[in-house]
Amino acid sequence: MNDSVTNNSNSRNRDYENLVDSLRSEANNVKDCFTKFSFHSLAFNGIIFGYIIKVQPTGEAPFISLVGLIISLVCLTVARIGTYKYGTANRHFGYELHLERTRYLFDTSERNKCWIVGWEEAMRAWRIVQASLYNAIYETETFLGIGKDKPKDKDIAYKWYKVSENLKDNTYNKEEGRQIVQYYSGSYLKEMMKILHMIAFLGVIPVIFASIQFYLKGEDFNSYFFMIISLFSFVIIVIRVSNNNRKREILEDGLLSIHSCAIVWQAVIVAHNKAKDEISEIESNGHPYKNYSRVLGEWAGGLCLNIESIHDWVMNPAKEKLVENKKLTSRKSIRP
């Protein structure tokens, strides 16, 4: 009997180590992918810029300036891809952090129940639970993307997903009168996006220059047309850059950060197991995943009602608003 328990424990540990290795590998790969995309786009844009600089000043082909907008499009696209890549990496690293924390949050039996959820099954639940949380905290439906990903969390007092905000009232900082104790999320993505955004704005300059060239030639229609294009392009770039920066901030110190992803993963696994338990009670002889999405959605709704109390909700999941200062049950009795 003891040998069987030991073998099962060793098997789980091996599965855990393999999963962590796989997640780390994929997370690092997607980050490297963004780096490659960025440098390839810089090289590509450098060639185009060089050609424009060579040809346009002669005044023989001012229409070549429109190619500069391709530079803007490429840079904005790569920057947006970067937010998706880092979102994937943070989700993976967050899952590893969740598994590490699970070692201490629950006893062995409850921890195994968390670990026994396969990656794809966990991802299935993530796409409902995490997406619901995101919709509750940030703007997702906007006109032409204006204001997309803007926080709408003024009524949320405890912003557990923002480390920097939780450090604002640090005692030492108050005594010193400056922000000494602070959160640092890294700067690579921020600096790379600065470069990409700067080049995106530079892509509009040849169009502005072409408008001036047409004006000097007396071609007023073409001059006004190119000026309108440059102004329209500038506005679009400003909107896209703002959206990218907001998304980056969420990745660095928001719901999509590694810290926050780990907390959300705990809630995702809890909601998943509660949904399965509820289905098994309703459909004792039926399919164990009948109406899974609907039932999981109900638990996700309960979590959205308790965003401020997510830690309490993980320990005492409910579909309704938790009573303030509700006494927590013992950890051993919790069923995530």
Side-chain angles (χ1 to χ4, degrees), residues 94-318:
Y95 193 75
E96 180 184 350
L97 180 56
H98 150 68
L99 293 178
E100 291 292 340
R101 289 178 171 177
T102 304
R103 293 174 180 267
Y104 309 105
L105 280 176
F106 309 113
D107 62 18
T108 303
S109 61
E110 299 301 339
R111 182 177 71 224
N112 289 340
K113 191 173 182 181
C114 288
W115 286 7
I116 205 171
V117 179
W119 170 249
E120 288 301 330
E121 189 167 29
M123 274 299 301
R124 171 69 172 83
W126 170 275
R127 296 186 186 281
I128 291 179
V129 178
Q130 194 273 349
S132 302
L133 272 178
Y134 195 93
N135 289 338
I137 298 174
Y138 301 100
E139 294 287 354
T140 55
E141 297 181 3
T142 59
F143 178 71
L144 296 178
I146 301 174
K148 192 173 186 297
D149 300 315
K150 186 177 181 180
K152 52 179 181 180
D153 56 358
K154 292 182 180 179
D155 296 330
I156 301 177
Y158 173 44
K159 297 178 176 60
W160 46 268
Y161 46 89
K162 288 187 177 179
V163 180
S164 58
E165 189 155 323
N166 291 316
L167 293 175
K168 282 184 178 180
D169 296 328
N170 181 269
T171 305
Y172 183 70
N173 289 342
K174 287 184 176 180
E175 292 176 353
E176 294 294 321
R178 58 197 180 99
Q179 197 77 12
I180 297 177
V181 178
Q182 58 181 300
Y183 173 66
Y184 178 68
S185 60
S187 60
Y188 178 79
L189 180 61
K190 180 179 180 179
E191 296 304 320
M192 186 58 74
M193 289 181 72
K194 276 184 180 179
I195 296 173
L196 292 170
H197 289 159
M198 179 186 68
I199 296 176
F201 280 112
L202 290 177
V204 182
I205 293 179
V207 184
I208 297 175
F209 185 63
S211 176
I212 297 173
Q213 286 180 309
F214 281 122
Y215 178 77
L216 294 176
K217 288 181 178 181
E219 300 181 23
D220 292 344
F221 176 80
N222 286 336
S223 177
Y224 294 144
F225 178 69
F226 270 64
M227 185 56 68
I228 291 173
I229 290 178
S230 62
L231 290 174
F232 178 77
S233 301
F234 182 80
V235 171
I236 294 298
I237 292 173
V238 168
I239 293 173
R240 295 304 178 188
V241 167
S242 298
N243 290 348
N244 287 343
N245 284 333
R246 276 195 296 270
K247 196 76 169 184
R248 174 186 55 77
E249 290 170 1
I250 298 172
L251 286 165
E252 293 176 344
D253 189 19
L255 191 65
L256 301 181
S257 66
I258 296 174
H259 155 78
S260 299
C261 284
I263 297 174
V264 175
W265 270 120
Q266 292 176 11
V268 168
I269 300 302
V270 168
H272 165 73
N273 284 327
K274 293 299 292 184
K276 286 188 65 178
D277 290 344
E278 182 176 333
I279 293 173
S280 65
E281 292 177 2
I282 299 174
E283 304 285 343
S284 56
N285 296 320
H287 196 283
Y289 284 93
K290 185 177 181 180
N291 294 322
Y292 172 77
S293 296
R294 180 180 61 78
V295 177
L296 180 63
E298 294 295 326
W299 286 103
L303 176 59
C304 290
L305 284 174
N306 297 280
I307 293 177
E308 289 185 52
S309 310
I310 188 171
H311 302 293
D312 294 339
W313 189 91
V314 167
M315 309 304 279
N316 293 275

Side-chain angles (χ1 to χ4, degrees), residues 27-152:
N28 288 324
N29 285 340
V30 295
K31 291 172 71 174
D32 290 342
C33 181
F34 170 64
T35 299
K36 292 177 181 178
F37 271 31
S38 298
F39 283 104
H40 288 167
S41 69
L42 293 177
F44 173 74
N45 293 333
I47 294 173
I48 295 180
F49 255 132
Y51 183 73
I52 293 175
I53 292 173
K54 178 182 178 181
V55 175
Q56 188 175 4
T58 63
E60 296 178 359
F63 284 97
I64 196 66
S65 63
L66 294 175
V67 179
L69 299 181
I70 296 178
I71 294 175
S72 301
L73 177 63
V74 170
C75 287
L76 292 175
T77 301
V78 172
R80 195 62 179 177
I81 288 174
T83 64
Y84 294 129
K85 295 294 185 181
Y86 270 74
T88 299
N90 285 3
R91 184 175 66 229
H92 286 31
F93 287 134
Y95 193 75
E96 180 184 350
L97 180 56
H98 150 68
L99 293 178
E100 291 292 340
R101 289 178 171 177
T102 304
R103 293 174 180 267
Y104 309 105
L105 280 176
F106 309 113
D107 62 18
T108 303
S109 61
E110 299 301 339
R111 182 177 71 224
N112 289 340
K113 191 173 182 181
C114 288
W115 286 7
I116 205 171
V117 179
W119 170 249
E120 288 301 330
E121 189 167 29
M123 274 299 301
R124 171 69 172 83
W126 170 275
R127 296 186 186 281
I128 291 179
V129 178
Q130 194 273 349
S132 302
L133 272 178
Y134 195 93
N135 289 338
I137 298 174
Y138 301 100
E139 294 287 354
T140 55
E141 297 181 3
T142 59
F143 178 71
L144 296 178
I146 301 174
K148 192 173 186 297
D149 300 315
K150 186 177 181 180
K152 52 179 181 180

